[in-house]
Coordinates of all heavy atoms in Angstrom, one line a residue:
V23 N -16.6 -111.4 -38.7 CA -15.4 -111.9 -38.2 C -14.8 -113.0 -39.1 O -13.6 -113.0 -39.4 CB -15.6 -112.5 -36.8 CG1 -14.3 -113.2 -36.3 CG2 -15.9 -111.4 -35.8
G24 N -15.6 -113.8 -39.6 CA -15.1 -114.9 -40.6 C -14.6 -114.3 -41.8 O -13.6 -114.7 -42.4
Q25 N -15.2 -113.2 -42.3 CA -14.7 -112.5 -43.5 C -13.4 -111.9 -43.3 O -12.5 -112.0 -44.1 CB -15.7 -111.4 -44.0 CG -15.3 -110.5 -45.1 CD -15.3 -111.2 -46.4 OE1 -15.5 -112.4 -46.5 NE2 -15.1 -110.4 -47.5
N26 N -13.2 -111.3 -42.1 CA -11.9 -110.7 -41.8 C -10.8 -111.7 -41.7 O -9.7 -111.6 -42.2 CB -12.0 -109.9 -40.4 CG -12.8 -108.6 -40.5 OD1 -12.9 -108.1 -41.6 ND2 -13.3 -108.1 -39.4
I27 N -11.1 -112.9 -41.0 CA -10.1 -113.9 -40.9 C -9.8 -114.5 -42.2 O -8.6 -114.8 -42.5 CB -10.7 -115.0 -39.9 CG1 -10.8 -114.5 -38.5 CG2 -9.7 -116.3 -40.0 CD1 -11.5 -115.4 -37.5
S28 N -10.8 -114.7 -43.1 CA -10.5 -115.2 -44.4 C -9.6 -114.3 -45.3 O -8.8 -114.8 -46.1 CB -11.8 -115.4 -45.2 OG -12.7 -116.3 -44.5
N29 N -9.7 -113.0 -45.0 CA -8.9 -112.1 -45.9 C -7.7 -111.4 -45.1 O -7.2 -110.4 -45.5 CB -9.8 -111.0 -46.4 CG -10.8 -111.5 -47.5 OD1 -10.4 -111.6 -48.6 ND2 -12.0 -111.8 -47.0
A30 N -7.3 -112.1 -44.1 CA -6.2 -111.5 -43.3 C -4.9 -111.3 -44.1 O -4.1 -110.4 -43.8 CB -5.9 -112.5 -42.1
S31 N -4.7 -112.1 -45.2 CA -3.6 -111.9 -46.0 C -3.9 -111.3 -47.4 O -3.0 -111.3 -48.2 CB -2.9 -113.3 -46.2 OG -2.5 -113.9 -45.0
R37 N -10.1 -104.1 -42.9 CA -10.8 -104.8 -41.8 C -12.2 -104.2 -41.7 O -12.4 -103.0 -41.7 CB -10.1 -104.6 -40.5 CG -10.7 -105.2 -39.3 CD -9.8 -105.2 -38.1 NE -9.4 -103.8 -37.8 CZ -10.0 -103.0 -37.0 NH1 -11.2 -103.4 -36.4 NH2 -9.6 -101.7 -36.8
G567 N -5.6 -103.2 -40.9 CA -5.1 -104.6 -41.0 C -5.9 -105.5 -40.0 O -6.4 -105.1 -39.0
V568 N -5.9 -106.8 -40.4 CA -6.7 -107.8 -39.6 C -5.7 -108.4 -38.6 O -4.7 -108.9 -38.9 CB -7.2 -108.9 -40.5 CG1 -7.9 -110.0 -39.7 CG2 -8.2 -108.3 -41.5
S569 N -6.1 -108.2 -37.3 CA -5.3 -108.9 -36.2 C -6.1 -110.2 -35.8 O -7.2 -110.1 -35.4 CB -5.2 -107.9 -35.0 OG -4.8 -108.7 -33.9
L570 N -5.5 -111.3 -36.0 CA -6.2 -112.6 -35.7 C -6.5 -112.7 -34.3 O -7.5 -113.3 -33.9 CB -5.3 -113.7 -36.2 CG -5.1 -113.9 -37.7 CD1 -4.2 -115.0 -38.1 CD2 -6.5 -114.0 -38.4
D571 N -5.6 -112.1 -33.4 CA -5.9 -112.2 -32.0 C -7.2 -111.4 -31.7 O -8.1 -111.9 -30.9 CB -4.8 -111.6 -31.2 CG -3.5 -112.5 -31.2 OD1 -3.7 -113.7 -31.5 OD2 -2.4 -112.0 -31.0
E572 N -7.3 -110.2 -32.2 CA -8.6 -109.4 -32.0 C -9.8 -110.1 -32.6 O -10.9 -110.1 -32.0 CB -8.4 -108.0 -32.6 CG -7.4 -107.2 -31.9 CD -7.3 -105.8 -32.6 OE1 -8.2 -105.5 -33.4 OE2 -6.4 -105.0 -32.2
E573 N -9.6 -110.7 -33.8 CA -10.8 -111.4 -34.4 C -11.2 -112.6 -33.6 O -12.4 -112.9 -33.4 CB -10.4 -111.8 -35.8 CG -10.1 -110.7 -36.8 CD -11.2 -109.6 -36.8 OE1 -12.4 -110.0 -36.8 OE2 -10.9 -108.4 -37.0
M574 N -10.2 -113.3 -33.0 CA -10.6 -114.5 -32.1 C -11.3 -114.0 -30.9 O -12.3 -114.7 -30.4 CB -9.3 -115.2 -31.7 CG -8.6 -116.0 -32.8 SD -9.6 -117.3 -33.5 CE -9.7 -118.4 -32.1
T575 N -10.9 -112.9 -30.3 CA -11.6 -112.3 -29.2 C -13.0 -112.0 -29.5 O -14.0 -112.3 -28.8 CB -10.8 -111.1 -28.7 OG1 -9.5 -111.4 -28.3 CG2 -11.6 -110.5 -27.5
D576 N -13.2 -111.3 -30.7 CA -14.5 -110.9 -31.1 C -15.4 -112.2 -31.4 O -16.6 -112.2 -31.1 CB -14.5 -110.1 -32.4 CG -14.1 -108.6 -32.1 OD1 -14.1 -108.2 -30.9 OD2 -13.7 -107.9 -33.0
M577 N -14.7 -113.2 -32.0 CA -15.5 -114.4 -32.3 C -16.0 -115.0 -31.0 O -17.2 -115.5 -31.0 CB -14.5 -115.4 -33.0 CG -15.2 -116.7 -33.5 SD -14.2 -117.6 -34.6 CE -12.8 -118.1 -33.5
I578 N -15.2 -115.1 -30.0 CA -15.6 -115.7 -28.7 C -16.8 -114.9 -28.1 O -17.8 -115.4 -27.6 CB -14.5 -115.8 -27.7 CG1 -13.4 -116.8 -28.3 CG2 -14.9 -116.2 -26.4 CD1 -12.1 -116.8 -27.5

Side-chain angles (χ1 to χ4, degrees):
V23 170
Q25 173 75 349
N26 287 340
I27 293 173
S28 299
N29 289 280
S31 301
R37 177 171 57 90
V568 175
S569 168
L570 293 179
D571 290 340
E572 290 181 10
E573 298 303 324
M574 289 297 292
T575 300
D576 285 344
M577 182 170 65
I578 292 171

